[in-house]
Amino acid sequence: MASIPKIGSSLACALVLIGGALAYGQEREHGGPAHGPGPAMHPEGHPPGEPHPGPRGYQRVAPPAGWDKRPATVDRDSYRHNFQAARSFHIGPYHRPAGWAPHHWGYGQILPRVYWGPNYLIADYWLFALEVPPAGYEWVRDDTDALLISTDTGEILQVEYGVFG
């Protein structure tokens, strides 16, 4: 008869554990507080970029009309922004150049030439909701960000943070 109280206690503990797990799942499913790591935070001293509206609704993935007709002149002031991407795209892994550490880039800075190589060039920029680059500029990838750079100097004209989440 001593084993009946043990069985009863075991069943009570099992029901408490199952009930707690179910309540936790419902809380997470209905937007309750999440336990564990939260969303990625920007490094200290680096505010997030400006909100960028990005595309709305479904759009067929195709080169835009005039994708190869780049603007001949550049109004630098209209491009000079650090945007936060409206959505993130999950593509292949990113491998930064050997010996280089992560860096939070902003417009006006000079991107080292090692980042201009074909491994970092975003030739199909329209797939990631990036604007047509003007003549003399290209989009390149640095980790999760897209940078619009001058192919003459490496100066960053525009940044889209979080394009490749």
Side-chain angles (χ1 to χ4, degrees):
M1 290 310 251
S3 65
I4 292 178
K6 287 182 184 179
I7 292 173
S9 298
S10 298
L11 286 174
C13 288
L15 289 174
V16 168
L17 289 174
I18 291 171
L22 290 174
Y24 175 78
Q26 284 180 337
E27 181 179 55
R28 293 288 305 264
E29 184 176 303
H30 296 291
H35 303 290
M41 300 300 289
H42 292 283
E44 284 189 40
H46 298 293
E50 304 169 41
H52 191 270
R56 292 190 181 5
Y58 175 77
Q59 294 181 351
R60 183 183 173 108
V61 179
W67 71 273
D68 57 347
K69 295 184 182 5
R70 297 175 179 226
T73 59
V74 181
D75 177 10
R76 293 175 55 80
D77 289 333
S78 68
Y79 282 95
R80 302 193 95 186
H81 293 281
N82 295 326
F83 287 121
Q84 183 64 46
R87 63 184 283 198
S88 291
F89 298 88
H90 298 279
I91 62 173
Y94 175 78
H95 302 288
R96 88 178 63 263
W100 290 87
H103 186 79
H104 188 80
W105 299 102
Y107 73 83
Q109 294 181 313
I110 305 296
L111 188 69
R113 189 150 184 90
V114 70
Y115 285 94
W116 308 2
N119 291 344
Y120 308 103
L121 183 67
I122 306 171
D124 48 359
Y125 52 86
W126 64 87
L127 294 175
F128 308 108
L130 299 171
E131 299 177 31
V132 176
Y137 289 84
E138 293 290 346
W139 285 104
V140 296
R141 180 181 179 186
D142 178 45
D143 201 11
T144 61
D145 305 330
L147 314 171
L148 181 60
I149 64 159
S150 165
T151 55
D152 293 330
T153 64
E155 181 182 4
I156 299 170
L157 189 59
Q158 189 174 49
V159 179
E160 287 266 354
Y161 297 120
V163 173
F164 307 103

